[in-house]
Amino acid sequence: MQQLPKVGLLAVSMALICHTYSPLQPIQSSIGFAILGYLLSDYLIPATAPYFIKIGLFGKDLSKKDKPVIPETIGIIPAVVYLFIMFSFIPFMFFKFLVVDTSGGGSRDTGVDLETADSNYFPHNKLSSYLSGVLSLESMVLLGLLDDLFDIRWRHKFFLPAIAAIPLLIVYYVDFGVTHILIPTFIKNIFGFEAVSIDLGALYYGYMGAVAIFCPNSINILAGINGLEVGQSVVLAVLLLLNDFCYLIPASLRSTPAYETHLMSTCILVPFLGVSLSLLKFNWYPAKVFVGDTFCYFSGMVFAFVGISGHFSKTLLLFFLPQIFNFVYSIPQLFGLVECPRHRLPRFNQEDNMMYPSHAVFKKRLPKLIEKGMLILEALGLLEVVEEEMKNDNGTEIVIKECSNFTLINLVLVWFGPMREDKLCFVILLLQFSIGLISLVARHTIAALLFGYDNLSIFNLSILSSN
């Protein structure tokens, strides 16, 4: 009886995938594959978890009273399921270009005529972009797995995503090749620029390579409590889908290039959402599995894939604002200005089962400039500082003995006080979604005011002014 709902979901999945002539294709098939991916991951994760422990891929959950042993690197399961799904999805993604009516004998009676077609031809550029993204994902999954197995040092693995993104960047160069950025109207007015845009040339590819590096690493840095790595990936996928729907719903955009790029973005993200939700089910508090670095790198590369291939990498970074803040906020410890412990996880108190901000303890006196900076952060509510008196030749003075670790997780605890682990994760995810939603609205309103144009014609400045 417990299997009946899953059998029903499987039937729905097959119906959505196989109904190829639906006007909702290929989104309908992507939903079917998302359900299938959820079911496969939901079956494989508990079935394979004991084998991960058997080969030594496990760890202790230090934020629980009994410190349970939990299998690690389980993120490889949904990642591999997703890759197989994306392979299987190819004919459904391009079905309308593959099927034609024929009376037999090799004649092509109706359908797309490749010799006389105008714009209705097989989109080889879209297929190459799709395949290059899948190849980059395969490379990233392999690199993430190597990191989980061999614990590669940060300075060695930080730039690995850029290597995995090379297929994406090559196809972008061949297929699209746009490397200019728009100049905001107010800057043109101030400096008297006549040009509408600036061509960055090779620097733009360096920027996209930086996006490919940042997305996987930023998810990996903002981690350490049950459900956070997968949870933020689910929230980011939902925000990107909301952005895609802004282009897919208006009928006026159906024949535009923006519609096609966001259609492919949707078809990439929906199956990803399916496999991620199944992993979140097992990784949510109290976690039964750990996702490992593999899933962090894989999910980050999915977002880099849709952002680069969909030509909206700058919009993508708006949804990563919490991750950007977490990285910038962590710079004092990441770059050695302040002592950085190996693990900056929140401190777990067994007596009340609550999480508290963890602290970095300083063995020697910090430079006065850094101390002043930390006191400013404390005054702004961005840091928790512990001071003590220190005797010297001139008497006694107050010095900073320890401070809360520079992570967004600890900062949330500084702001809101001790929390249980699941509530802490929920607050961070709610913060991520709220900032992302505000960014989405700002992207399609303020952009028209800054540049005089937005991809969504309903927000173009000319239309706004005419009203």
Side-chain angles (χ1 to χ4, degrees):
M1 293 296 291
Q2 294 180 352
Q3 300 300 321
L4 285 179
K6 294 182 179 181
V7 173
L9 281 175
L10 182 60
V12 170
S13 170
M14 292 297 104
L16 291 172
I17 293 172
C18 295
H19 189 200
T20 51
Y21 289 98
S22 168
L24 297 176
Q25 292 292 8
I27 295 178
Q28 180 177 301
S29 286
S30 71
I31 295 173
F33 276 109
I35 297 173
L36 181 60
Y38 176 89
L39 293 173
L40 287 173
S41 299
D42 188 60
Y43 169 75
L44 290 172
I45 289 174
T48 58
Y51 296 98
F52 281 78
I53 295 178
K54 187 176 181 180
I55 63 174
L57 292 175
F58 62 85
K60 290 185 177 182
D61 193 340
L62 301 178
S63 299
K64 304 293 181 297
K65 291 182 178 180
D66 53 351
K67 305 291 188 294
V69 173
I70 295 178
E72 285 186 323
T73 321
I74 297 298
I76 188 68
I77 301 298
V80 171
V81 169
Y82 178 81
L83 288 174
F84 277 105
I85 281 177
M86 297 311 287
F87 291 140
S88 305
F89 182 63
I90 293 175
F92 298 91
M93 179 72 185
F94 302 97
F95 182 79
K96 65 179 180 179
F97 301 102
L98 299 176
V99 176
V100 294
D101 296 329
T102 175
S103 58
S107 8
R108 187 189 187 102
D109 299 328
T110 61
V112 178
D113 187 345
L114 296 181
E115 295 180 359
T116 61
D118 174 25
S119 59
N120 295 321
Y121 62 96
F122 186 90
H124 294 91
N125 58 334
K126 293 297 179 187
L127 178 60
S128 61
S129 178
Y130 183 96
L131 293 177
S132 68
V134 173
L135 179 58
S136 293
L137 287 175
E138 286 182 307
S139 303
M140 200 68 255
V141 170
L142 177 61
L143 293 173
L145 182 60
L146 290 175
D147 183 25
D148 278 329
L149 292 176
F150 301 108
D151 194 19
I152 304 174
R153 303 186 71 172
W154 266 104
R155 63 172 176 264
H156 297 144
K157 68 183 179 182
F158 185 80
F159 296 99
L160 292 180
I163 300 174
I166 289 176
L168 269 177
L169 299 180
I170 293 296
V171 170
Y172 182 93
Y173 173 78
V174 174
D175 172 38
F176 196 60
V178 174
T179 57
H180 64 261
I181 58 173
L182 295 176
I183 304 174
T185 305
F186 72 92
I187 292 182
K188 288 191 292 184
N189 295 335
I190 293 174
F191 296 98
F193 291 153
E194 294 183 3
V196 178
S197 61
I198 298 177
D199 190 356
L200 298 180
L203 291 177
Y204 195 83
Y205 291 95
Y207 153 74
M208 289 191 293
V211 170
I213 291 172
F214 175 76
C215 290
N217 281 299
S218 65
I219 293 177
N220 197 25
I221 292 174
L222 185 56
I225 60 175
N226 291 174
L228 185 56
E229 298 97 319
V230 194
Q232 64 182 299
S233 299
V234 169
V235 171
L236 286 166
V238 170
L239 289 169
L240 286 167
L241 284 171
L242 290 175
N243 182 60
D244 289 337
F245 294 157
C246 291
Y247 295 87
L248 298 179
I249 294 176
S252 59
L253 299 177
R254 296 289 170 85
S255 59
T256 63
Y259 177 86
E260 293 298 326
T261 56
H262 286 277
L263 177 64
M264 189 167 94
S265 171
T266 300
C267 293
I268 293 166
L269 290 170
V270 170
F272 171 76
L273 195 58
V275 298
S276 297
L277 286 173
S278 68
L279 182 59
L280 183 61
K281 172 184 172 183
F282 294 97
N283 185 238
W284 190 256
Y285 179 91
K288 300 178 181 64
V289 300
F290 288 146
V291 301
D293 291 342
T294 304
F295 182 82
C296 298
Y297 289 130
F298 158 69
S299 61
M301 187 54 71
V302 169
F303 301 134
F305 173 18
V306 297
I308 294 173
S309 65
H311 315 143
F312 56 90
S313 57
K314 295 178 287 295
T315 302
L316 172 68
L317 292 180
L318 288 176
F319 300 136
F320 271 82
L321 284 178
Q323 283 76 13
I324 294 173
F325 172 83
N326 183 62
F327 175 74
V328 174
Y329 184 62
S330 298
I331 283 177
Q333 288 187 315
L334 294 179
F335 290 86
L337 300 177
V338 176
E339 186 170 337
C340 181
R342 178 170 175 78
H343 296 292
R344 300 185 295 166
L345 306 179
R347 179 173 59 86
F348 174 67
N349 188 341
Q350 295 189 15
E351 295 181 1
D352 57 8
N353 202 33
M354 304 284 271
M355 308 294 287
Y356 292 78
S358 62
H359 284 199
V361 180
F362 309 122
K363 299 178 181 178
K364 58 182 181 178
R365 173 79 182 271
L366 294 172
K368 290 186 177 181
L369 184 61
I370 292 179
E371 281 192 343
K372 289 181 180 179
M374 293 172 67
L375 291 174
I376 292 174
L377 290 177
E378 182 190 29
L380 295 173
L382 296 175
L383 199 64
E384 187 176 81
V385 170
V386 177
E387 297 176 311
E388 70 173 13
E389 291 185 353
M390 186 179 74
K391 294 181 179 181
N392 55 31
D393 297 336
N394 299 322
T396 60
E397 61 178 329
I398 304 297
V399 299
I400 296 177
K401 181 64 177 177
E402 57 185 83
C403 73
S404 56
N405 282 306
F406 290 76
T407 68
L408 179 59
I409 303 174
N410 284 296
L411 182 57
V412 168
L413 291 170
V414 170
W415 285 343
F416 302 107
M419 291 186 232
R420 208 175 77 164
E421 190 172 2
D422 53 343
K423 183 180 179 182
L424 174 60
C425 182
F426 179 79
V427 169
I428 295 174
L429 296 183
L430 182 62
L431 184 67
Q432 173 95 54
F433 183 76
S434 302
I435 294 174
L437 205 57
I438 294 171
S439 300
L440 178 63
V441 175
R443 165 65 181 84
H444 296 298
T445 53
I446 298 176
L449 300 174
L450 289 178
F451 302 103
Y453 177 81
D454 183 72
N455 288 338
L456 288 178
S457 59
I458 57 174
F459 289 119
N460 283 348
L461 186 59
S462 58
I463 295 178
L464 288 172
S465 59
S466 66
N467 292 334

